[in-house]
Amino acid sequence: MRLDHPDIRRSGEIVEIVYDGQRLTALAGETVAAALASHGIIQFRHTRDGGRRGLYCGMGACFDCLVTVDGKASQRACLTKVAANQEIRSVMPAGTAADPLLPLTPPVTGTAPVEQATDLLVIGAGPAGLAAAIAAAQRGAAVTVLDERPQSGGQFYKPLAPSHQAQHPIDRQFRDGLALRDAAIRAGVAIQQEATVWGAHAADEVVAIVEGLETVYRPRQLVIAPGAYERPVPFAGWTLPGVMTTGAAQTLARAYRVSPGQHVVIAGNGPLNLQLACELVAAGVDVVAVLESAPKPAPHQWRAMLTALRTAPDLIADGLRYLNRLRRAGVPVLWSHAILAAEGDGRVAQVRYAPMAPDGRLQTEAAVSVAADALCLGYGFVPSTEIARALGCAHHLVDRHLGYLATDTAADGSTDLPGIFVIGDGADLGGARVALARGTLAGHAAAARLGLPAGNATEIADAKARLQRAEHFQSALWSLYQAPPVRFDQVPDAAMLCRCEEISVGRVRAEIAAGHDSLAALKRNTRLGMGRCQGRYCAASAALLLEQSTGRPRAVEQYLAPRLPAKPVPAGALAFEKPEWGGHQRAITPNLARPVETIRLPDQEAAILVIGGGVVGACLAYYLSQAGQDVLVVERDDTNLQASGANAGSLHVQLLSFDFGAKAEAGGGPAAATLPLGPRSVALWQQLQADCGEDFEVRITGGLMVADSDAGMDFLRAKAALERRYGIENEVIGGNELRRIAPALSDKLIGAEYAPQEGKINPLRATYAVLEKARAQGARFLRGANVTAIGRENGHWIVETSRGRIRAGRIVNASGPWSRETGKLVGIDIPVHSAPLQMIVTEPAPPLVGHLVAHADRHLSLKQVASGGLVIGGAWTAAFAAERRFNTVTRHSIEGNLWVANHVLPQMAGLHVVRAWAAMNINIDGAPIIGPVPGLPGFFNCVTSNGYTLAPVVARITADLLLQGRSDIDPTPYLIDRFG
């Protein structure tokens, strides 16, 4: 329902929209979410399991309120403005000719996005960002501010939407927000609203989508002020429509004058909930109860009370007024209470809550149920550190609430990276007054680094004093509002942990019990954190659940790695044609060993020691243990976390375009000699899937290498003829046949090579399943064991690791990109190079592509996986950040790869890119290196550059050579001897 206020009038034109066939009225200038909520409609996107989701975060971070608007898929209802005659659907287009995915942005022109230079770029127009912009602009800096929301002000100020007008600000918060925005405009700050910053590749390379177009900003100084998002609180039913954050409810009520419901329960931790309750009560909404998880402030906390009163008497007065208003209105404020469950059929209808003991235990025996059609949750915040982490700024863990990562900064927001400042709640939580003070200091510091005239010393000193007062107030406030610790032992298995991928708490508990006890392993085994929100609403919860389940403390390096884009962005907006690269960009192998285990173990023995716990090591362990051998696999990190775990999952049989002709390594001979291995290995994958009794998502759909020119078709005919000589099934087909079997592909394509034996596999499931089967057969695995030395003693190999000494009869080097380093330990040079490559994945889409698709002239690998996402690769190079020893994606490769993908599959322009990631690929000469090493009895190699496809067959050959001294596949073309 709409909320009335005597000093606010509706100014937006009344327009008509259609939602799922229902014609509704709306106010121009409001969001789709506000318009629908005014009619009591709270169900938005459909989940894979048939459920529905509604408005949750209200700020574009959770992606639960997605709708299709005029044929454009996955529009956030909380940010998308209504327009006359808009047709809105809760479902995505079917992706057919009759109901296609329409392009989300205008087609790009040229080969590169527009670039803009500025003295200072500020990301975020909340209190911190605007304060920094004002301070720098007043000293003469050219300042640009980018903000994703329709209006400036951030989560705190929430200005009134254009759909409404007020003759004067109705409270201090509105007034201060307007004054800050107006001060920025007067200072000459250029503010760009509805701009999504998707990445920052360096301090002077920030990339955003502005008015549907990609724009690269080249600032001399960068201030990151992205704010925070509200802390997730998993409990049964928290994903039901009608359950939303306090911030989302306040945005509806304050900015759009729409109530989140008619009977509202508000729960959480902190005074923001009291403010929302008062605002709703004043508008005539039935606030059923306010539940505060902290105990009621007691006399023994008098020191904190005095500090709070001394440092912010006005805020303390506000809090007392809120409590008094609620008391007069008969709204119960229940201290030491929290939510047990939200219940309802498709939307929340009832809320169960209970008192909390000091240790955080919910006293379920005293639970109460109340009717409610909205539940608002405000349990605190988590900083939006995605951009700062992607840039490499140092971070630390804050053990508060669920725990979160905060950016290491000085008082003025400067970080350990030159030219980069991080301020406000996006750096660490401190509230609006801390954000304003730090913003002012950051603006002055940035201006000083720009060489501008000295700033006002009085203003700087005042900002420092305000910062000190605000920090003292925050410390006192959260001492008074100290909530009991979060306990996952009372969260039921059925509660959802990962909202995007629908991963339950019970599923995560089961994976931890199975030994997948790191965030990275959980991510690969369950897809936790892989959805549109990029782990914002599950990573912190999962980290705490892991700590409570394993007793192992959380650490910064164990959190999920930052991925770009920081938020989903339209694929078409990033698609720029780029020159094809001229070969693998080799790099030193990064040292990515992380201390998942550190306890040193007693000396061990093994008949066969496998070095490397990726997919090849897993297959070796499987085949060797199946034969009754005593096998131990050591992995420097955790199993399946590096090259194998970051694989795109293609099962290649035909040669890739760069493995034939002039582009091929070593003239193409080694790659051609490897062709017979492909079909054998795919068959072995199918057999492993059956033996393990799990679905690896092996789908032999056939592969298409497409061409869009006569020269490309000639290339395919020559390549196909060579492949047939090695036993590969294939057929060169024309354009009509191509469109018949793959109608979504571009009509610009004139033909393709079709290889029916190709397909795809889920590497996030297959490797772990083979590892578990090998373990069940008796194979042993030791993680966190970095091999540091290898020697010989009395006819045995002696291997020193970071966790102890191992005596082995034979060794298999299955270290993948690290194989050369392992070889050095025994005095040999194994010609294996590291080549960082990157991949891209889109949001889930309707069925578009059944085949594994490649291109004859360009680098492309394209397939649609079981989750519905399109995985895009094709050996576009990533970058190696030497100072961090870390692989990172590059804008050039993302743009070029997406251009090829859009060129081949036009409906790609109707999808959002969810993430891109870099992995360390293996570059040899086109063929694997397997078998014994002359002069090193008992030392074997098992390394391949087409690792996922060929892992079973190279492991099978190596196992046969170890056990029998021979194999039914001639290993001669793959021995290290060929290098002379």
Side-chain angles (χ1 to χ4, degrees):
M1 66 179 183
R2 294 197 181 275
L3 303 178
D4 292 320
H5 190 285
D7 295 323
I8 298 176
R9 66 181 181 86
R10 298 170 191 170
S11 59
E13 175 190 358
I14 297 177
V15 298
E16 284 196 340
I17 61 175
V18 177
Y19 181 65
D20 282 348
Q22 182 180 1
R23 190 164 289 276
L24 305 167
T25 59
L27 295 177
E30 68 181 352
T31 62
V32 169
L36 295 180
S38 73
H39 292 279
I41 297 172
I42 62 173
Q43 292 178 319
F44 296 106
R45 77 174 179 91
H46 298 252
T47 64
R48 282 196 292 268
D49 68 358
R52 298 295 295 274
R53 294 291 171 80
L55 182 71
Y56 176 65
C57 77
M59 57 181 291
C62 74
F63 296 86
D64 258 347
C65 64
L66 297 181
V67 291
T68 297
V69 179
D70 292 336
K72 295 182 178 181
S74 302
Q75 303 301 295
R76 288 171 285 180
C78 66
L79 296 181
T80 303
K81 295 177 183 175
V82 297
N85 301 314
Q86 225 170 32
E87 183 178 342
I88 306 166
R89 291 187 283 170
S90 60
V91 296
M92 183 176 272
T96 61
D99 186 21
L101 291 161
L102 296 183
L104 301 175
T105 58
V108 302
T109 57
T111 59
V114 173
E115 295 198 2
Q116 289 193 15
T118 186
D119 288 339
L120 176 64
L121 180 68
V122 179
I123 301 174
L130 289 177
I134 292 166
Q138 288 177 341
R139 287 178 59 176
V143 182
T144 300
V145 176
L146 303 178
D147 190 72
E148 191 171 26
R149 290 169 175 261
Q151 299 139 285
S152 298
Q155 275 282 81
F156 181 72
Y157 286 125
K158 290 185 176 72
L160 200 62
S163 54
H164 290 77
Q165 283 186 353
Q167 290 187 350
H168 53 81
I170 62 173
D171 60 29
R172 182 180 63 205
Q173 205 165 328
F174 275 127
R175 183 177 65 251
D176 291 349
L178 289 171
L180 191 67
R181 184 202 64 186
D182 291 345
I185 293 171
R186 286 196 305 272
V189 175
I191 304 176
Q192 178 66 61
Q193 302 294 154
E194 299 180 88
T196 299
V197 176
W198 71 260
H201 299 274
D204 62 350
E205 185 182 357
V206 178
V207 198
I209 305 298
V210 180
E211 297 178 357
L213 301 175
E214 185 182 27
T215 303
V216 178
Y217 290 86
R218 299 289 186 184
R220 295 170 61 196
Q221 296 287 307
L222 173 63
V223 170
I224 304 171
Y229 50 92
E230 275 166 290
R231 188 197 110 188
V233 190
F235 54 79
W238 75 300
T239 59
L240 279 173
V243 179
M244 66 186 73
T245 67
T246 292
Q250 202 172 44
T251 298
L252 283 178
R254 286 181 66 82
Y256 299 104
R257 307 305 302 165
V258 172
S259 176
Q262 294 181 312
H263 308 285
V264 182
V265 173
I266 301 172
N269 180 216
L272 180 63
N273 298 309
L274 299 176
Q275 181 185 4
L276 173 64
C278 286
E279 290 170 340
L280 294 179
V281 166
V285 177
D286 174 27
V287 177
V288 179
V290 177
L291 313 177
E292 170 56 58
S293 58
K296 189 173 183 177
H300 72 269
Q301 296 174 293
W302 62 270
R303 285 190 178 87
M305 295 178 190
L306 285 177
T307 299
L309 187 60
R310 175 177 55 83
T311 53
D314 55 332
L315 296 182
I316 295 300
D318 286 345
L320 293 174
R321 278 196 296 270
Y322 294 150
L323 289 169
N324 189 43
R325 287 174 189 169
L326 295 175
R327 180 184 58 79
R328 292 201 312 267
V331 176
V333 177
L334 305 177
W335 301 85
S336 295
H337 278 69
I339 300 294
L340 273 173
E343 299 165 341
D345 184 11
R347 56 186 295 165
V348 65
Q350 185 169 275
V351 173
R352 284 195 295 125
Y353 61 85
M356 297 178 72
D359 65 354
R361 184 180 67 84
L362 282 167
Q363 297 170 320
T364 55
E365 67 278 4
V368 174
S369 294
V370 294
D373 59 359
L375 171 58
C376 305
L377 306 170
Y379 282 85
F381 297 88
V382 177
S384 293
T385 59
E386 297 81 20
I387 296 292
R389 292 186 66 212
L391 282 166
C393 295
H395 284 74
H396 62 277
L397 178 67
V398 177
D399 190 12
R400 174 179 163 193
H401 300 317
L402 291 174
Y404 58 82
L405 296 182
T407 313
D408 293 353
T409 65
D412 62 5
S414 56
T415 69
D416 61 326
L417 299 182
I420 298 176
F421 299 79
V422 185
I423 54 174
D425 283 355
D428 198 355
L429 304 179
R433 295 189 176 183
V434 169
L436 287 165
R438 285 190 183 274
T440 298
L441 294 174
H444 280 291
R449 293 189 185 185
L450 289 167
L452 296 172
N456 185 313
T458 301
E459 180 181 319
I460 295 171
D462 176 66
K464 290 179 179 179
R466 288 187 288 114
L467 175 60
Q468 186 177 48
R469 284 197 305 273
E471 288 180 331
H472 286 163
F473 172 75
Q474 285 289 313
S475 178
L477 176 70
W478 292 110
S479 175
L480 294 171
Y481 272 93
Q482 180 67 49
V486 178
R487 291 180 52 155
F488 271 94
D489 58 350
Q490 288 193 290
V491 180
D493 282 349
M496 207 68 73
L497 188 66
C498 177
R499 298 176 65 96
C500 298
E501 294 296 321
E502 302 167 62
I503 308 301
S504 70
V505 171
R507 169 77 188 281
V508 173
R509 284 188 177 124
E511 294 291 344
I512 294 171
H516 305 138
D517 54 358
S518 68
L519 275 180
L522 287 175
K523 179 178 180 178
R524 285 161 173 78
N525 275 277
T526 68
R527 294 188 56 81
L528 179 141
M530 287 191 171
R532 292 180 176 94
C533 92
Q534 293 276 32
R536 287 173 174 86
Y537 292 97
C538 64
S541 298
L544 183 58
L545 176 56
L546 273 166
E547 180 178 84
Q548 294 181 358
S549 300
T550 65
R552 191 168 62 235
R554 290 161 289 169
V556 172
E557 62 270 14
Q558 293 166 352
Y559 273 70
L560 298 178
R563 300 294 190 201
L564 297 181
K567 286 187 177 179
V569 288
L574 310 186
F576 291 88
E577 186 175 10
K578 301 291 182 182
E580 293 289 319
W581 57 270
H584 287 285
Q585 301 298 307
R586 294 170 176 172
I588 62 171
T589 305
N591 180 11
L592 296 176
R594 290 168 288 193
V596 289
E597 298 283 2
T598 57
I599 298 173
R600 190 166 179 86
L601 301 173
D603 290 357
Q604 299 184 67
E605 292 197 12
I608 301 174
L609 177 68
V610 176
I611 301 175
V615 63
V616 172
C619 290
L620 279 164
Y622 172 83
Y623 290 125
L624 292 169
S625 61
Q626 188 182 52
Q629 291 295 305
D630 171 38
V631 57
L632 171 62
V633 180
V634 294
E635 166 59 46
R636 67 187 311 189
D637 196 331
D638 204 349
T639 51
N640 197 39
L641 291 196
Q642 297 301 333
S644 299
N647 191 275
S650 300
L651 294 178
H652 294 289
V653 168
Q654 62 178 311
L655 292 171
L656 299 173
S657 63
F658 48 84
D659 282 333
F660 178 74
K663 303 175 185 176
E665 298 255 7
T674 306
L675 282 168
L677 300 183
R680 291 283 295 267
S681 205
V682 171
L684 286 173
W685 270 125
Q686 293 172 305
Q687 184 62 53
L688 283 168
Q689 179 176 244
D691 292 349
C692 292
E694 289 200 38
D695 183 9
F696 295 1
E697 297 174 19
V698 174
R699 304 291 185 267
I700 307 306
T701 56
L704 291 169
M705 184 171 287
V706 299
D708 51 18
S709 67
D710 291 338
M713 291 300 295
D714 290 342
F715 175 87
L716 291 179
R717 292 186 188 98
K719 185 173 80 74
L722 172 69
E723 291 163 345
R724 284 193 293 272
R725 293 201 294 271
Y726 284 90
I728 302 300
E729 298 177 37
N730 62 40
E731 177 186 4
V732 177
I733 60 176
N736 290 337
E737 178 64 10
L738 175 61
R739 274 177 280 283
R740 185 188 69 80
I741 65 174
L745 297 187
S746 173
D747 57 11
K748 296 178 182 178
L749 303 174
I750 63 174
E753 178 188 348
Y754 173 61
Q757 297 163 302
E758 289 197 315
K760 52 198 173 188
I761 189 172
N762 183 352
L764 303 180
R765 184 63 242 143
T767 306
Y768 286 109
V770 174
L771 283 166
E772 288 155 11
K773 185 68 173 178
R775 186 177 284 112
Q777 293 173 169
R780 294 175 288 149
F781 293 85
L782 180 62
R783 62 182 182 174
N786 190 30
V787 173
T788 58
I790 303 175
R792 294 284 286 177
E793 185 179 286
N794 299 325
H796 286 81
W797 292 102
I798 304 299
V799 179
E800 298 286 351
T801 80
S802 56
R803 298 192 63 200
R805 172 180 286 198
I806 301 167
R807 184 171 181 263
R810 287 175 287 182
I811 292 177
V812 182
N813 176 13
S815 310
W818 290 267
S819 294
R820 193 167 204 159
E821 302 300 314
T822 302
K824 289 178 181 177
L825 298 178
V826 293
I828 60 171
D829 182 36
I830 304 172
V832 171
H833 302 277
S834 300
L837 303 179
Q838 66 186 46
M839 287 143 281
I840 304 167
V841 68
T842 72
E843 64 187 323
L848 294 173
V849 180
H851 303 86
L852 174 62
V853 180
H855 197 286
D857 302 312
R858 298 185 180 271
H859 286 79
L860 177 69
S861 171
L862 171 65
K863 58 184 170 296
Q864 190 162 14
V865 295
S867 67
L870 293 163
V871 179
I872 307 155
W876 285 79
T877 188
F880 177 66
E883 68 281 0
R884 289 191 281 161
R885 297 188 66 83
F886 186 69
N887 295 318
T888 62
V889 298
T890 70
R891 180 171 58 85
H892 177 280
S893 286
I894 290 175
E895 292 168 350
N897 205 175
L898 285 174
W899 185 90
V900 180
N902 275 271
H903 178 67
V904 169
L905 182 67
Q907 287 194 73
M908 179 79 69
L911 295 171
H912 292 83
V913 171
V914 174
R915 66 185 177 278
W917 71 99
M920 188 55 77
N921 189 50
I922 306 166
N923 178 220
I924 311 178
D925 63 350
I929 302 175
I930 55 180
V933 177
L936 292 176
F939 189 93
F940 288 69
N941 287 308
C942 189
V943 191
T944 178
S945 55
N946 193 359
Y948 222 87
T949 298
L950 299 183
V953 73
V954 297
R956 180 73 268 178
I957 295 170
T958 304
D960 289 343
L961 294 173
L962 280 161
L963 301 175
Q964 305 164 15
R966 57 182 174 78
S967 170
D968 63 346
I969 297 176
D970 181 10
T972 302
Y974 321 121
L975 298 175
I976 197 171
D977 308 47
R978 71 181 186 270
F979 295 101

